Amino acid sequence: MIARFPEIIPFQASPPPLGQGQMHLMVASLEFLATDRERILSVINEEEQSRAQRLINAAHRDNFRLVRGALRLCLEQYLGLPAETLRFTVNPYGKPEIDPAQNPRALRFNVSHSHQMVAFIFTLGKCVGIDIEFIKPLRNMDGLARHVCNPRELTEFNALDFAARREAFFRLWTRKEAFIKAKGQGLSMGLRSIYIGIDTNSAARPVQYRDNWLNNWLVKDLACDPQYKSAVAIET
């Protein structure tokens, strides 16, 4: 059982030990990561370099390298293995995991990057997901809401004043994105099949999937930069 949801703490490339029932949640700006660029970029491998090179935008290439290298440095501390030697596998839906041969404690992690911020979460033995999103103008917010919202959520969304809808949309999106990332099935789950709700209550909340309440999952909003929304999902 996870003891409690953590507060967000500053990024630490050398985090403290992680115990059973604990979560470590760190956020950082890309600008901050870039202050340790040489160290961070030194640990990514050829496959990650190749993935970065396939990105058209130079800034996106640099950001990918920074995030991936920072992840490796954190995992190095948790696993006691050199960062550059870590191997990853992916499930059928593309969710990355640590190679089981290097992961005797069943360390689980998730990463989310949006605009100029990145969030990392780590725990032992439980599936976990994190999402962070920059709150930006949306051209077709009502149309996006119809794609993302469960019918009950859509009723809640449509009852809001127009001025409140953008934050509500991003609040719901981060909740659902964190959940589907934790489950490791991505958009194949169907966003409209998931009910979490769009209200502003920041307490940990259960999830309903295809009309069934999932008693072993919780989702919680996280305090973050006012220009971003963030949420975490955890298997309890």
Side-chain angles (χ1 to χ4, degrees), residues 102-120:
Q102 296 182 316
N103 193 18
R105 299 184 70 202
L107 177 68
R108 301 286 182 258
F109 71 90
N110 202 231
V111 181
S112 181
H113 160 234
S114 179
H115 195 49
Q116 295 299 311
M117 298 290 286
V118 59
F120 305 86

Side-chain angles (χ1 to χ4, degrees), residues 83 93 120 127 146 167:
Y93 300 94
F120 305 86
C127 296
R146 288 192 294 272
E167 284 211 9

Side-chain angles (χ1 to χ4, degrees), residues 139-160:
R139 292 182 179 179
N140 184 20
M141 185 166 53
D142 289 347
L144 289 170
R146 288 192 294 272
H147 174 71
V148 171
C149 292
N150 170 280
R152 286 168 60 196
E153 291 165 340
L154 189 60
T155 298
E156 296 169 10
F157 179 84
N158 288 334
L160 296 172

Side-chain angles (χ1 to χ4, degrees), residues 203-223:
R205 59 185 59 234
V207 180
Q208 191 177 44
Y209 180 57
R210 294 182 176 173
D211 299 323
N212 296 309
W213 289 103
L214 306 182
N215 297 323
N216 61 330
W217 284 94
L218 289 173
V219 175
K220 189 180 189 304
D221 298 337
L222 298 167

Side-chain angles (χ1 to χ4, degrees), residues 56-104:
I56 296 173
N57 185 288
H60 293 171
R61 292 196 295 270
D62 190 51
N63 293 344
F64 174 85
R65 294 186 184 103
L66 286 172
V67 171
R68 194 69 172 200
L71 170 65
R72 282 182 171 272
L73 290 175
C74 289
L75 294 176
E76 176 181 71
Q77 297 298 311
Y78 292 126
L79 298 170
L81 297 170
E84 61 273 18
T85 69
L86 295 174
R87 300 185 301 271
F88 298 92
T89 62
V90 293
N91 77 2
Y93 300 94
K95 182 180 181 180
E97 300 283 356
I98 305 159
D99 186 331
Q102 296 182 316
N103 193 18

Side-chain angles (χ1 to χ4, degrees), residues 158-233:
N158 288 334
L160 296 172
D161 293 338
F162 182 80
R165 290 185 180 183
R166 185 171 67 172
E167 284 211 9
F169 176 85
F170 281 102
R171 186 164 56 247
L172 179 63
W173 176 261
T174 56
R175 291 171 180 176
K176 291 198 174 187
E177 183 74 5
F179 174 66
I180 64 175
K181 289 176 69 180
K183 289 285 286 182
Q185 297 174 247
L187 294 174
S188 68
M189 295 188 72
L191 293 175
R192 299 182 75 249
S193 299
I194 302 166
Y195 176 80
I196 302 178
I198 64 172
D199 63 82
T200 59
N201 188 337
S202 62
R205 59 185 59 234
V207 180
Q208 191 177 44
Y209 180 57
R210 294 182 176 173
D211 299 323
N212 296 309
W213 289 103
L214 306 182
N215 297 323
N216 61 330
W217 284 94
L218 289 173
V219 175
K220 189 180 189 304
D221 298 337
L222 298 167
C224 195
D225 184 288
Q227 293 184 292
Y228 293 79
K229 291 294 182 186
S230 184
V232 63

Side-chain angles (χ1 to χ4, degrees), residues 4-102:
R4 62 183 180 87
F5 282 87
E7 298 298 321
I8 295 178
I9 61 176
F11 173 78
Q12 301 175 59
S14 299
L18 181 63
Q20 291 290 341
Q22 292 182 324
M23 287 189 290
H24 286 175
L25 172 61
M26 294 179 277
V27 296
S29 68
L30 293 170
E31 181 181 13
F32 175 79
L33 294 184
T35 62
D36 202 12
R37 178 186 302 276
E38 184 175 349
R39 180 187 178 204
I40 287 175
L41 298 188
S42 71
V43 300
I44 61 176
N45 64 17
E46 291 183 6
E47 186 271 337
E48 290 161 337
Q49 289 281 16
S50 178
R51 285 177 61 185
Q53 284 302 120
R54 291 197 293 270
L55 299 173
I56 296 173
N57 185 288
H60 293 171
R61 292 196 295 270
D62 190 51
N63 293 344
F64 174 85
R65 294 186 184 103
L66 286 172
V67 171
R68 194 69 172 200
L71 170 65
R72 282 182 171 272
L73 290 175
C74 289
L75 294 176
E76 176 181 71
Q77 297 298 311
Y78 292 126
L79 298 170
L81 297 170
E84 61 273 18
T85 69
L86 295 174
R87 300 185 301 271
F88 298 92
T89 62
V90 293
N91 77 2
Y93 300 94
K95 182 180 181 180
E97 300 283 356
I98 305 159
D99 186 331
Q102 296 182 316

